[in-house]
């Protein structure tokens, strides 16, 4: 099968699954439209992955969620919809422009009362969250990491400090087009992702796996880890 034909099959299968299992409603579609209109990069999670995040949060019984990398708020909406009425989601976004678009999308979804968008470098925001947690220890039940890949290992380390035994940590875009398995590739995104994967594999408090995916987002994948203690 040619590469173009194979890619079309991936798209067709993705469309079939999404149409039956994870159809976007008007709010989610509007979030994508407004993000595109504002010139944000078209790198939001797929509807299928958004639904997976939603189901993982529901399965966790998550009351507190941390998202690192907001973009236009599409994944934020999927995650926040799994929270109870008194739940809380904190999402960290470096770009003020992206945060502005996301804030509007989240408000349209009726989730602005339980979602807080924090603007700034994620590593600085995470340090601030840790200080707040020290005063009011309420760990996050789920952490979704979808930001600059070079800092992935630092995001995993911060996630460990901000979670509890049983919490989930999800890292998106870990395949890097297959480059993650190339030991000679030294680009920052690959090095950061590889270090994060190896950290999960060696850390005494983590048990994890990684899954390769294909579909409308091309060839990609995600890592999933559970905090053990």
């Amino acid at each position: 099968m040619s590469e173009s034909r194979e890619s079309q099959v991936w798209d067709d299968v993705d469309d079939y699954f999404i149409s039956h299992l994870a159809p976007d409603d008007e709010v989610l579609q509007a979030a994508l439209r407004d993000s595109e209109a504002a010139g944000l990069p078209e790198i939001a999670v797929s509807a299928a992955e958004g639904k997976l995040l939603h189901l993982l949060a529901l399965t966790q019984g998550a009351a507190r969620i941390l998202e690192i990398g907001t973009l236009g708020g599409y994944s934020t909406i999927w995650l926040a919809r799994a929270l109870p009425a008194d739940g809380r989601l904190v999402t960290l976004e470096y770009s003020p422009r992206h945060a502005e678009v996301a804030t509007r999308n989240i408000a349209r979804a009726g989730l602005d009362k339980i979602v807080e968008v924090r603007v700034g470098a994620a590593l600085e925001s995470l340090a601030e969250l840790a200080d707040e947690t020290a005063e009011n220890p309420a760990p996050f039940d789920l952490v979704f990491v979808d930001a600059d890949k070079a800092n992935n290992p630092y995001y995993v380390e911060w996630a460990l400090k901000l979670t509890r035994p049983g919490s989930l940590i999800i890292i998106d875009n870990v395949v890097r087009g297959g480059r993650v398995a190339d030991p000679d590739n030294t680009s920052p995104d690959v090095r950061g992702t590889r270090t994060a994967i190896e950290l999960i594999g060696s850390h005494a408090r983590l048990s994890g796996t990684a899954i390769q995916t294909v579909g409308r987002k091309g060839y990609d994948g995600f890592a999933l880890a559970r905090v053990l203690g």
Side-chain angles (χ1 to χ4, degrees):
M1 184 183 296
S2 68
E3 184 176 343
S4 61
R5 174 58 183 153
E6 185 176 63
S7 178
Q8 184 59 55
V9 171
W10 294 349
D11 291 354
D12 291 345
V13 172
D14 227 15
D15 288 345
Y16 171 75
F17 286 151
I18 289 170
S19 68
H20 288 281
L21 302 173
D24 279 341
D25 55 36
E26 176 54 32
V27 167
L28 288 165
Q29 291 172 4
L32 292 176
R33 285 197 305 269
D34 284 7
S35 296
E36 181 180 2
L40 273 60
E42 295 182 34
I43 55 174
V45 302
S46 69
E49 187 176 359
K51 183 64 175 289
L52 175 62
L53 293 171
H54 178 81
L55 290 173
L56 287 171
L58 285 175
T59 301
Q60 273 291 95
R64 287 172 52 85
I65 295 173
L66 172 62
E67 180 181 49
I68 304 174
T70 315
L71 195 61
Y74 181 78
S75 57
T76 316
I77 293 170
W78 274 111
L79 285 164
R81 283 178 168 178
L83 288 170
D86 60 347
R88 184 188 185 208
L89 189 154
V90 178
T91 182
L92 312 180
E93 175 54 49
Y94 178 77
S95 165
R97 177 58 177 151
H98 294 182
E100 179 184 343
V101 174
T103 298
R104 290 199 303 268
N105 288 333
I106 291 162
R108 182 196 292 117
L111 297 166
D112 48 314
K113 297 294 190 298
I114 61 173
V115 174
E116 177 188 359
V117 181
R118 297 196 180 191
V119 182
L123 292 178
E124 296 176 7
S125 297
L126 288 164
E128 293 169 1
L129 275 172
D131 289 341
E132 294 169 16
T133 302
E135 298 176 6
N136 181 25
F140 290 98
D141 306 303
L142 185 150
V143 179
F144 178 49
V145 180
D146 190 11
D148 55 307
K149 312 310 174 186
N151 281 319
N152 273 341
Y154 303 111
Y155 295 148
V156 172
E157 291 170 350
W158 276 112
L160 274 168
K161 296 175 184 177
L162 294 166
T163 51
R164 58 171 175 79
S167 292
L168 291 183
I169 302 170
I170 306 157
I171 309 174
D172 203 15
N173 309 127
V174 298
V175 171
R176 314 310 301 155
R179 293 177 294 139
V180 71
D182 178 3
D184 296 324
N185 192 302
T186 59
S187 64
D189 65 312
V190 171
R191 287 204 316 269
T193 300
R194 189 183 295 126
T195 301
I197 292 294
E198 293 169 5
L199 174 60
I200 291 171
S202 62
H203 203 289
R205 292 185 59 213
L206 290 171
S207 178
T209 190
I211 301 294
Q212 300 178 78
T213 61
V214 295
R216 285 215 164 270
K217 296 296 180 179
Y219 174 43
D220 209 336
F222 63 92
L224 174 68
R226 184 176 177 87
V227 180
L228 300 178

